[in-house]
Amino acid sequence: ADTGLKKDTISVFPVTDYLLGQLKLIENLPVTPLRINEQQGSIDSVWIKREDVKNFAKPFLKPFIDSASLNKYYEGSSFLDQTLNAVTFSYTLLPGTPDSINLKEINVYIKPQTNEVDRIYLVKEDGGAQQQLTWKSGKWFSIRTIKGTNVQEEKVKWNFDERNSDE
């Protein structure tokens, strides 16, 4: 039976392997990460242990994002976005993908000058809630959860260099 799924020529970027590498780097940095929680206009922040960063990053690590496990479900495209000065790899779900795949969107932004990952943006939907996951390489990550009119954002930051903040 034809499910409508097909393979595209652009393989899914190995997002999970990349993020595991970022987490390993954070564990070895001489810095105390800051966790910032924002909900309905209220902001709360607390310093956390480097080894706890991985716990807060769990939504980024499931499902395992690589071409072997996800290529059959996503169609990939790439383009040079001059407003962001980035090459964008964008992956969207193919028609006929099982509902159990809650990762709706994968975007990887690469700096064209250095070919380094600048940012990763993921969108997940589960039980009426949407999660927008953003990872700014070498600096911070955020998890924004939207359920109805309730918006909650949790951010973990480990690079405090204001000259190079690029929020």
Side-chain angles (χ1 to χ4, degrees):
D2 183 9
T3 61
L5 300 179
K6 67 177 175 50
K7 264 193 180 288
D8 196 67
T9 52
I10 298 176
S11 293
V12 173
F13 187 86
V15 169
T16 304
D17 283 339
Y18 176 78
L19 295 177
L20 289 170
Q22 285 274 294
L23 288 165
K24 197 70 168 160
L25 290 171
I26 295 166
E27 286 178 16
N28 295 313
L29 287 174
V31 67
T32 303
L34 182 65
R35 178 177 167 235
I36 305 158
N37 199 334
E38 187 174 340
Q39 187 168 2
Q40 296 168 328
S42 158
I43 298 174
D44 184 31
S45 57
V46 63
W47 298 103
I48 60 174
K49 295 178 182 170
R50 285 187 301 273
E51 51 273 16
D52 289 341
V53 170
K54 191 171 184 175
N55 288 333
F56 294 113
K58 277 183 181 169
F60 285 91
L61 305 177
K62 279 193 172 189
F64 195 92
I65 303 171
D66 69 349
S67 60
S69 59
L70 295 180
N71 247 16
K72 62 185 173 189
Y73 300 120
Y74 292 87
E75 179 174 46
S77 62
S78 67
F79 60 95
L80 175 60
D81 186 333
Q82 294 185 331
T83 57
L84 294 174
N85 190 26
V87 174
T88 301
F89 294 103
S90 192
Y91 306 93
T92 52
L93 280 175
L94 289 166
T97 299
D99 291 340
S100 59
I101 306 286
N102 71 347
L103 183 61
K104 303 301 179 193
E105 223 179 287
I106 305 167
N107 293 288
V108 180
Y109 303 93
I110 309 282
K111 294 179 190 171
Q113 312 88 310
T114 60
N115 282 334
E116 293 175 345
V117 173
D118 179 51
R119 186 181 302 243
I120 292 173
Y121 176 73
L122 310 171
V123 176
K124 294 167 117 179
E125 289 179 5
D126 199 14
Q130 184 184 76
Q131 274 191 326
Q132 299 170 346
L133 311 171
T134 305
W135 190 287
K136 178 68 175 164
S137 296
K139 298 178 191 285
W140 54 264
F141 66 81
S142 80
I143 300 165
R144 176 177 290 163
T145 304
I146 303 166
K147 191 165 189 167
T149 58
N150 186 21
V151 178
Q152 177 181 353
E153 184 168 14
E154 182 173 87
K155 187 171 189 176
V156 174
K157 187 174 180 176
W158 60 91
N159 184 326
F160 302 96
D161 184 354
E162 291 304 318
R163 290 172 293 129
N164 197 10
S165 69
D166 188 21
E167 291 289 319

